[in-house]
Amino acid sequence: MLFKVAILAALISSVAGHMAMSEPCPRFSPNCANKPPLPAGVSDYDYSIKSPVPYDGPLMKSDIPWPESATTWTAGQPATVKFQPGGAAHGGGHCQFSISYDNGKTAAVVHEVLQHCFFSGASGGNGADIFEYTFPLPATMPSSDNALLIWTWVNAVGNREFYANSATLKIVGGTGNSYTGKQMTIANHAGYETIPEFSGNYATGLQLYTNAPNITITAPGSSGAGYTGEQVASASTNNAQPSAPAAPTSSAPAYDSATMAAPTASATLAAAVPAYHARIAPIPAPPTKCA
């Protein structure tokens, strides 16, 4: 009888899933009220949209471009991301919201919620308190008809997983040709650092976020400098390290935490590597809790 109850609980948990965006509508999501049409050649939606990214699979589950934008954001104005209710929030953890102009090959952070994502403070529970985040989209963010918003999350409690949803955006009103921000952090994925379960220590893994190098992204057709680092062919086979640290070229992205002061701007790396094609550079003297 107990075995049957355990199986039933597991099935309910799998159906409920984890956390996923609802607005802007993520690519291939079956759960949005207004879903953009599927790309040519794709016959169905992703009914595992709330599941973690497969450990050795594509970081956004699919790199097929969406045929039209899910919404329009205006540079210099507030932008809002909403999440589906009812998902398991695994005690919070670290979330980032990043923008890409090359279908996810490189991505720069515009907002992050470290330690307690989905919660107002420390929590070991699954029921989220917060389902919506609003943050300013930088005024210098280049305009584009085909930008990509990427939400990523490393959970505090449970199996060591990496979550990601992406949504195609139209960005208007941008005053710049390029944007420089922290490189999106990837963890708990093949070829990258593993952030262990927090076990009540919400500083676990923070050094991967606060010490991330800066990266410059440029919209196609703009005259900005764009990404100038060397492309690395494979995360799993290339361990080349960036050059010596240099001073950051832009302010840090917005930081959102009720219990921790914003991290100071640390030195960043002069030659950043693309987020989807290289290991996260090892951080000197990491805390003992970090793998």
Side-chain angles (χ1 to χ4, degrees):
M1 179 64 180
L2 290 177
F3 177 75
K4 290 181 178 178
V5 170
I7 292 295
L8 178 61
L11 288 172
I12 292 173
S13 175
S14 66
V15 170
H18 306 277
M19 301 299 292
M21 292 194 312
S22 59
E23 295 182 24
C25 184
R27 291 176 170 183
F28 306 104
S29 173
N31 303 318
C32 303
N34 298 304
K35 298 184 289 289
L38 288 168
V42 176
S43 60
D44 207 352
Y45 292 95
D46 178 8
Y47 292 93
S48 65
I49 194 74
K50 288 188 173 184
S51 298
V53 174
Y55 180 73
D56 57 354
L59 283 162
M60 291 183 297
K61 299 187 180 180
S62 173
D63 58 3
I64 299 175
W66 203 268
E68 63 182 62
S69 61
T71 192
T72 298
W73 281 2
T74 301
Q77 298 297 314
T80 297
V81 178
K82 296 181 181 181
F83 292 86
Q84 298 175 34
H90 291 293
H94 308 317
C95 286
Q96 288 185 322
F97 302 87
S98 305
I99 295 292
S100 173
Y101 291 106
D102 55 10
N103 201 37
K105 294 178 181 179
T106 55
V109 179
V110 292
H111 185 69
E112 57 187 5
V113 185
L114 302 181
Q115 300 183 292
H116 307 303
C117 193
F118 305 119
F119 292 92
S120 55
S123 173
N126 269 338
D129 297 333
I130 299 170
F131 295 93
E132 180 176 326
Y133 288 102
T134 298
F135 49 88
L137 189 66
T140 56
M141 187 66 63
S143 296
S144 173
D145 290 335
N146 196 34
L148 189 67
L149 167 70
I150 306 170
W151 160 70
T152 53
W153 172 41
V154 169
N155 53 308
V157 176
N159 295 335
R160 306 324 302 141
E161 295 167 331
F162 187 71
Y163 296 82
N165 287 169
S166 59
T168 302
L169 300 175
K170 181 177 182 180
I171 296 177
V172 299
T175 61
N177 293 320
S178 63
Y179 170 75
T180 299
K182 287 201 303 185
Q183 178 175 286
M184 186 181 76
T185 297
I186 300 168
N188 301 345
H189 190 268
Y192 296 89
E193 299 278 355
T194 296
I195 296 177
E197 194 169 16
F198 289 15
S199 300
N201 178 9
Y202 283 84
T204 301
L206 272 180
Q207 86 283 355
L208 294 180
Y209 293 82
T210 57
N211 291 3
N214 273 13
I215 188 170
T216 297
I217 56 175
T218 304
S222 64
S223 58
Y227 176 73
T228 57
E230 180 182 0
Q231 295 286 334
V232 181
S234 171
S236 60
T237 58
N238 192 309
N239 294 319
Q241 300 302 318
S243 59
T249 58
S250 71
S251 59
Y255 181 82
D256 190 345
S257 175
T259 60
M260 179 179 179
T264 57
S266 58
T268 56
L269 301 177
V273 290
Y276 286 154
H277 298 288
R279 289 179 180 270
I280 296 174
I283 306 300
T288 56
K289 275 189 167 291
C290 289

